[in-house]
Every structure is written in structure tokens, then in C-alpha cells.
Amino acid sequence: MAAAAAQKVQEVRDITRIERIGAHSHIRGLGLDDALEARQVSQGMVGQVTARRAAGIILEMIKDGKIAGRAVLIAGQPGTGKTAIAMGMAQSLGPDTPFTSIAGSEIFSLEMSKTEALTQAFRKSIGVRIKEETEIIEGEVVEIQIDRPASGTGAKVGKLTLKTTEMETIYDLGTKMIESLTKEKVQAGDIITIDKATGKVCKLGRSFTRARDYDAMGAETKFVQCPEGELQKRKEVVHTVTLHEIDVINSRTQGFLALFAGDTGEIKGEVREQINAKVAEWREEGKADIVPGVLFVDEVHMLDIESFSFLNRALESDMAPVLIMATNRGITKIRGTNYKSPHGIPLDLLDRLLIISTTPYEEKELRQILSIRCEEEDVEMSEDAMMVLTKIAQETSLRYSIHLITVANLICRKRKGQEVQMDDIKRAYSLFFDESRSTQFLKEYQQQFMFHEESETIEQEPETMDTEIIS
């Protein structure tokens, strides 16, 4: 009974982990067609047609891999889908192109200098595709015999018979190979590959000659043809690693374990120079290709003047990724100075940027986004409730109305309802304040709060606040 209860708890834990829903978990790509025209609703993206089309052109530039060190700025009001566009680009690039995402304020909280943190972020965004040839044995298992000593102690011995369509060979097995084959549960009729250098065994599937055993094997069994030609073949293997991973492996005494510990520390410039020289050598010999990836810096106005100067210099390097930045600020102070500039970015860096602008969503688009979020969060919502929620999104903010979906769903489940109704939305709206109602509340009861003198400053200096806070 106790074992059954433990198993049930484990199942619940696994399901909870799998079903975690993030703010942008509904984004599957940029939603563009083959001509790079944006569809109105596609891959989780809604509206922002011009911005998505521009992002699609940048995406093609990244995929070609010819241009490095270009910088793009996505600028717009809060809640207009800047991060969503960046996430869409990441999904469209696929797993082979490195994509690193950091927040502007993140570099100040790490136990290293700002420039080192940015350098590491840059090098995480550049992949090195290394090609190497290896010898493999590939064939169908005819028979596998493993003899265990009668005494129960001593080394196991065995024989493995492999065949292709043209030849058949018997191999003597050592203890290590017997363990590998047992671990992979290899049996007669399997098509396997053995890497001669490492001894790694990989099971490709079952032979088509064993298709009659289908009922015994199960529906998930993969059937493949018996290999042709010789048993021993040369095969090109491609590994993709980032420059940062190579840096860490070569700079730390514990080597690659530092990647798992996260304790990479500061890496010396000499190490990086040697690695750059070695990678350049590999490129000339045709052993490796550089894969320029993407570094996405959200809330880029949080960087200071020293960081912006570093970015200016870093973008000129031939080992630079495509830099994508996002900001919701208007004309505001550059952090670390008393000067104001658009988006809080120095003019010399702004001059290098391709700027993509996002615009506020219309009512129809807000409704579609809320509908997609309801599907993502598995919430059934009535037509009236959706209409009220869209109205709330128009008058307050899209983020606030998205937060109300889960809250209203919980209220609905509490009353044993199956579909979120208008009353559930109204109840959630009355329980949780949006930004404008919270501000109104503060104005009414400011005397009861600590440090209410700040409110007098806000009333006296409206011009200063307008430039720094874009509502």
C-alpha cells in the first residue's frame, strides 16, 4: 500500500514539472510564410506584422551565418510583445544555433566584472561545429552469447555475431563491451553501431526480417533495413559546442565539471586568444565551422555607460554574434551619466542599431492573444467573460488581464463551475488591483503610508518623471 502511494506521489510530481506554463510558452516561432510575410495569427504570434516581418529578415541573415556583429533594437511600450518576438526568433533558429538570453541588470549581480560577464554571454552565443571522422562497426545482431563462470566470480566472456547484406563476422567480447551490450539490452535481430574509438554501443532499431515479432515487441518498436556493404565503416561525426564551453574546459583545473557547477569565474584573456587562434586554424583545415548565434539582452537600458562602450568594441570583432536588444524606455538618462538619450542608449551605439518598433495591440488582437493564453493554460471561458477580459486589457494592460485568466479559473473551480463566467472575471478584478487603481488608492490614503513626501515630489515635477517613466 505504501509503495503504491509513493508511486502515485512520484507521478503527480512528474506531471507538475512537465506542465509548467511560462509567460511565452505559447510561442512556437515568428509565424511567417515562405515569402517572409507575417500571418495575422500563427505559431502563437498575433499582430505586430511589421515588427515580425523585420525580425524575419534578421532571422534569414543569422541563418546564412555570413554576417556577424550586427545589432538590432526592439523598442516599444510595455506589453507590446518585444520579448515574444525574441522568443519567436529563438524557436525559429532551432537547437543548432546558439541563443543566449540575459537581462540588462543581470551583469551587476554576478561575482565578476561587467565586461567579463558580457564577454562570457557573447562567447556563449557563438557555436563551433567540429567535424571528425570515426570508425564504426554497423550490422545486424545474428547471435549474442554471454558466458558467466559457474562459480559466480571471474570475468564474463562472450561472442557477438554481426552481419550485413554482404558479410558476417564473429567478434570476441571483453568485459567492458559485455556491460555496454547488456546496458543497451541488445538481442538477436537488433541493428547496432559500435564506435571503435570509445566502445559506445547505439541501438538503431529492429531488423525488418523480425517484423513478424511485432506483436511481442510493442507499437513503439522501430524497424530498419539490414545495413549494406562492409561491417567496418568510416563515418563523419559533427559536434556543436560554444566558444564559452571551450574556454571553461581549457581554463579551469576541474575542466568541464565547471560547466555543471556554474562556478566558471573569470577567464584569462590569454586563454581566449589561444582558443581563437586554434579555432581559426581548424577553420582553415576544414575541421570546424563557426556558427554565429544570437545574444538577446532584455531591458538593455539597465546597462551603464561602461557596458555600452564595451558593446561598441565587441561588435567589431569577427567573433561576435548577432546582438538583439529590447527596451521600453523613451528619452531617459544613460545609466552612469547625467546625459539623456533615446531609450537610454548612447548615440554612438544607437547609430549602429537596426531599430524594430512595436505598436500597441488593437482590440481584436488582444482578444486573440487572450484566447491563445486560455488554450495554453487549459481554461474554458464563456463569450461574455472573454469580452470583459478584452475590455480590461484595453483599459489597463495586457499583462494584467493575462494574470486574471488563472485567478478567474481558480475562482470558477472553487464554485464547481466548468467554464469561466463574467462574474468570475469581475470577482478577480475586484480582488486584485491593476496599476492605475493601485496608484489611485495610494493618492487617497497616502497619509497612512510611510515616506508619503514622495507623492509631493511627483506632483511638483511632472516633466522630469515623464521623461523617465514611459507608462
Side-chain angles (χ1 to χ4, degrees):
M1 187 71 184
Q7 190 179 356
K8 195 171 181 183
V9 168
Q10 185 61 44
E11 282 173 13
V12 170
R13 276 184 191 159
D14 286 350
I15 290 165
T16 307
R17 181 173 54 80
I18 291 162
E19 290 187 351
R20 294 283 290 179
I21 296 165
H24 298 101
S25 56
H26 62 286
I27 304 292
R28 310 276 182 263
L30 279 174
L32 305 173
D33 59 20
D34 294 337
L36 296 183
E37 290 295 321
R39 301 185 190 97
Q40 187 58 30
V41 183
S42 179
Q43 295 182 319
M45 298 294 281
V46 177
Q48 300 297 354
V49 174
T50 312
R52 279 158 55 204
R53 197 182 299 146
I57 292 164
I58 300 294
L59 200 67
E60 288 301 303
M61 188 173 83
I62 297 162
K63 282 180 179 174
D64 286 347
K66 300 284 186 278
I67 303 166
R70 292 297 172 95
V72 179
L73 176 68
I74 305 172
Q77 299 172 23
T80 51
K82 297 182 293 298
T83 310
I85 289 171
M87 292 301 126
M89 290 176 83
Q91 295 281 2
S92 302
L93 284 168
D96 290 340
T97 307
F99 184 94
T100 310
S101 178
I102 63 167
S105 53
E106 199 175 304
I107 64 163
F108 299 103
S109 59
L110 299 169
E111 292 178 1
M112 60 181 83
S113 67
K114 293 176 284 191
T115 52
E116 176 64 23
L118 284 169
T119 304
Q120 288 192 12
F122 261 67
R123 289 177 77 85
K124 279 178 191 171
S125 311
I126 302 162
V128 183
R129 196 180 285 127
I130 303 164
K131 303 169 199 162
E132 62 175 356
E133 278 199 344
T134 182
E135 281 204 353
I136 62 161
I137 299 168
E138 184 177 34
E140 180 184 333
V141 179
V142 179
E143 190 182 14
I144 181 168
Q145 289 179 329
I146 297 170
D147 298 325
R148 293 171 181 81
S151 61
T153 57
K156 296 175 185 175
V157 290
K159 289 188 187 311
L160 175 68
T161 310
L162 285 180
K163 71 165 187 178
T164 64
T165 53
E166 295 173 20
M167 62 186 292
E168 186 172 311
T169 309
I170 298 170
Y171 295 94
D172 287 325
L173 300 175
T175 312
K176 201 170 179 184
M177 276 306 301
I178 289 171
E179 283 176 11
S180 298
L181 291 164
T182 310
K183 191 179 175 185
E184 289 294 323
K185 297 186 175 72
V186 173
Q187 55 187 335
D190 287 341
I191 310 286
I192 64 167
T193 62
I194 303 170
D195 189 330
K196 282 189 77 175
T198 61
K200 186 183 176 188
V201 177
C202 183
K203 197 154 70 166
L204 302 179
R206 295 283 290 169
S207 171
F208 269 112
T209 56
R210 303 290 179 127
R212 61 179 181 274
D213 301 338
Y214 175 80
D215 292 335
M217 298 305 296
E220 70 282 352
T221 308
K222 184 182 174 186
F223 290 100
V224 290
Q225 293 285 1
C226 182
E228 296 176 355
E230 294 190 8
L231 277 161
Q232 290 198 31
K233 297 169 186 168
R234 290 191 73 80
K235 191 177 182 182
E236 190 179 75
V237 181
V238 179
H239 309 282
T240 304
V241 291
T242 66
L243 277 177
H244 176 66
E245 286 167 352
I246 301 173
D247 291 346
V248 172
I249 289 163
N250 286 282
S251 69
R252 306 293 286 179
T253 49
Q254 69 267 41
F256 70 93
L257 292 174
L259 289 168
F260 301 105
D263 179 27
T264 55
E266 298 213 6
I267 295 164
K268 290 177 183 174
E270 300 85 48
V271 173
R272 289 202 173 112
E273 282 170 20
Q274 287 172 3
I275 288 164
N276 287 353
K278 194 68 184 171
V279 170
E281 192 183 306
W282 287 345
R283 284 173 75 184
E284 283 176 20
E285 292 171 5
K287 286 182 183 175
D289 294 324
I290 293 290
V291 186
V294 177
L295 172 59
F296 174 57
V297 184
D298 207 356
E299 308 293 336
V300 74
H301 52 264
M302 293 302 292
L303 296 179
D304 61 7
I305 191 70
E306 289 94 348
S307 304
F308 285 127
S309 302
F310 174 83
L311 288 181
N312 252 335
R313 177 72 188 87
L315 284 171
E316 291 172 354
S317 165
D318 58 346
M319 287 284 200
V322 174
L323 178 65
I324 297 175
M325 302 180 278
T327 180
N328 56 21
R329 294 294 167 99
I331 296 168
T332 184
K333 275 185 185 176
I334 303 165
R335 187 169 176 174
T337 72
N338 288 320
Y339 297 103
K340 289 183 180 176
S341 76
H343 313 299
I345 298 171
L347 294 176
D348 58 339
L349 181 58
L350 268 178
D351 203 30
R352 291 172 179 266
L353 304 179
L354 291 167
I355 301 175
I356 299 172
S357 181
T358 55
T359 53
Y361 290 109
E362 295 172 5
E363 184 182 352
K364 185 184 172 186
E365 292 167 347
L366 289 170
R367 188 185 179 91
Q368 284 168 332
I369 292 167
L370 291 168
S371 176
I372 289 167
R373 286 306 301 176
C374 285
E375 282 178 33
E376 184 70 15
E377 297 182 29
D378 204 17
V379 174
E380 292 288 329
M381 192 166 289
S382 69
E383 197 65 31
D384 290 346
M386 184 58 81
M387 194 170 68
V388 171
L389 201 60
T390 310
K391 193 75 177 164
I392 290 169
Q394 267 186 298
E395 291 179 3
T396 59
S397 73
L398 176 60
R399 285 172 180 156
Y400 173 70
S401 56
I402 286 172
H403 288 319
L404 288 186
I405 293 172
T406 309
V407 178
N409 188 40
L410 288 169
I411 292 167
C412 170
R413 277 160 52 188
K414 198 74 178 167
R415 63 170 178 81
K416 304 285 192 291
Q418 297 297 316
E419 190 180 57
V420 174
Q421 300 295 333
M422 193 195 294
D423 290 341
D424 299 322
I425 299 288
K426 285 180 177 176
R427 176 104 175 106
Y429 183 75
S430 64
L431 285 171
F432 299 97
F433 279 14
D434 58 274
E435 179 256 344
S436 57
R437 282 187 295 156
S438 181
T439 308
Q440 188 62 40
F441 178 80
L442 285 177
K443 282 180 181 174
E444 285 178 25
Y445 298 99
Q446 62 185 5
Q447 298 298 329
Q448 279 81 3
F449 284 88
M450 288 179 72
F451 308 119
H452 67 272
E453 299 88 4
E454 288 294 320
S455 60
E456 293 164 21
T457 313
I458 291 170
E459 285 168 16
Q460 285 167 10
E461 301 178 28
E463 299 85 11
T464 312
M465 296 306 293
D466 282 347
T467 58
E468 295 194 7
I469 299 174
I470 309 299
S471 60

